Amino acid sequence: MRDQDDGEQDRGEHDSARSGEQDRHGAGDGGAARGDGAQDPEPRRGRPRSAAAERAILDAVITLLEAGEPLAGLSIERIARTAGVGKATIYRRWTGKEELFVDVVRDMEPVDPPVSGTEGLADLRVMLESLRTRGLAQRSSVLLHNIFAQMKSHPKLWDEYSGTVIAPRRELMLAAVRRAVAAGELRDDLDVELIDDLFVGPMLVRTVHRPDAPLPDDLADRIIAALVQGLAPAGSAAAARA
């Protein structure tokens, strides 16, 4: 069944009848077909039927990349053969290569830590620390660093990553800024997006624009302290008012 998919174009639009047939025969999903004859519900994108199959697919992409294959050169057909699954198995989880590659990056990056959703500066600190650890991961992994470099040269892939990963992280940061303002931890006469940029900016400079800059364990705390306390010399505000 898998070899019959060879030669098809790598598009997210896949014949649902073909997918359903492979489901019933257990192709690529570890034999997880239903044996009661009942019709399976409509496949849900991004909701894997088999964790083992999904793991094999992600590992297949990483294996090919480690072998020197560029992102642009990877096809769904090649990934399916390497993973030992049918192309339909991949399309049941991802609409196309962009979604799949974003999940590969997520799998390689450190897991985003949970935030309380009720704290202000405390949640900001957690998210800044997460940004620092992701920067460290890119520095320590040549493969991850190369993947990001390739992603930025492929607008469609970078847009997918930005929309599904970066944008939600930014929204979480903005929400934490709003909570910090509401709690009186930060001043309320500045635009929240500017405040967010002031916190995130120094960490991005260190992790992205200055790859040789140190990323000490207390960097997030130092950034928050500098912004909250202000950069003016001690006593300068009082002197200006005198």
Side-chain angles (χ1 to χ4, degrees):
M1 288 295 293
R2 290 197 296 270
D3 291 339
Q4 291 179 356
D5 288 326
D6 293 351
E8 292 180 9
Q9 295 183 347
D10 293 330
R11 294 192 300 265
E13 296 78 20
H14 204 76
D15 190 316
S16 60
R18 188 182 190 85
S19 298
E21 180 182 354
Q22 292 199 5
D23 273 347
R24 287 190 293 273
H25 289 285
D29 267 44
R34 295 179 60 174
D36 56 8
Q39 185 74 23
D40 278 345
E42 182 71 17
R44 292 175 293 179
R45 300 292 189 189
R47 299 292 296 275
R49 295 168 184 264
S50 165
E54 179 172 308
R55 183 70 262 165
I57 293 164
L58 296 175
D59 286 344
V61 176
I62 294 173
T63 296
L64 291 169
L65 292 172
E66 287 178 335
E69 294 288 341
L71 279 174
L74 292 184
S75 65
I76 295 295
E77 173 188 334
R78 179 90 180 275
I79 295 167
R81 284 204 304 265
T82 303
V85 301
K87 287 173 65 175
T89 302
I90 297 179
Y91 283 121
R92 281 195 296 274
R93 291 156 172 79
W94 299 278
T95 60
K97 290 196 297 184
E98 287 76 22
E99 283 190 357
L100 170 56
F101 291 161
V102 165
D103 276 355
V104 169
V105 174
R106 280 175 155 166
D107 186 62
M108 296 178 67
E109 286 188 314
V111 177
D112 288 340
V115 294
S116 71
T118 58
E119 300 291 332
L121 284 180
D123 282 353
L124 280 172
R125 195 264 175 206
V126 170
M127 287 181 275
L128 284 177
E129 173 61 14
S130 178
L131 181 55
R132 186 187 73 89
T133 57
R134 290 197 301 274
L136 287 171
Q138 286 193 43
R139 291 185 183 186
S140 62
S141 171
V142 174
L143 179 60
L144 190 57
H145 177 81
N146 288 340
I147 289 175
F148 270 99
Q150 292 183 62
M151 285 172 61
K152 292 176 182 178
S153 65
H154 294 80
K156 188 175 181 181
L157 178 53
W158 186 250
D159 287 347
E160 178 73 23
Y161 183 78
S162 296
T164 60
V165 179
I166 296 178
R169 286 171 177 164
R170 177 172 170 77
E171 286 303 317
L172 286 175
M173 287 285 292
L174 287 170
V177 170
R178 294 187 183 98
R179 291 194 296 272
V181 171
E185 295 175 311
L186 297 173
R187 52 192 289 185
D188 61 2
D189 61 336
L190 292 177
D191 178 70
V192 293
E193 293 202 2
L194 174 59
I195 297 176
D196 179 65
D197 290 343
L198 290 172
F199 280 104
V200 177
M203 191 67 80
L204 285 178
V205 168
R206 288 286 186 98
T207 56
V208 177
H209 301 295
R210 295 179 56 201
D212 295 328
L215 294 173
D217 292 345
D218 64 345
L219 184 56
D221 292 318
R222 289 165 56 190
I223 290 172
I224 292 173
L227 290 172
V228 172
Q229 295 169 13
L231 299 178
S236 62
R241 291 194 299 268

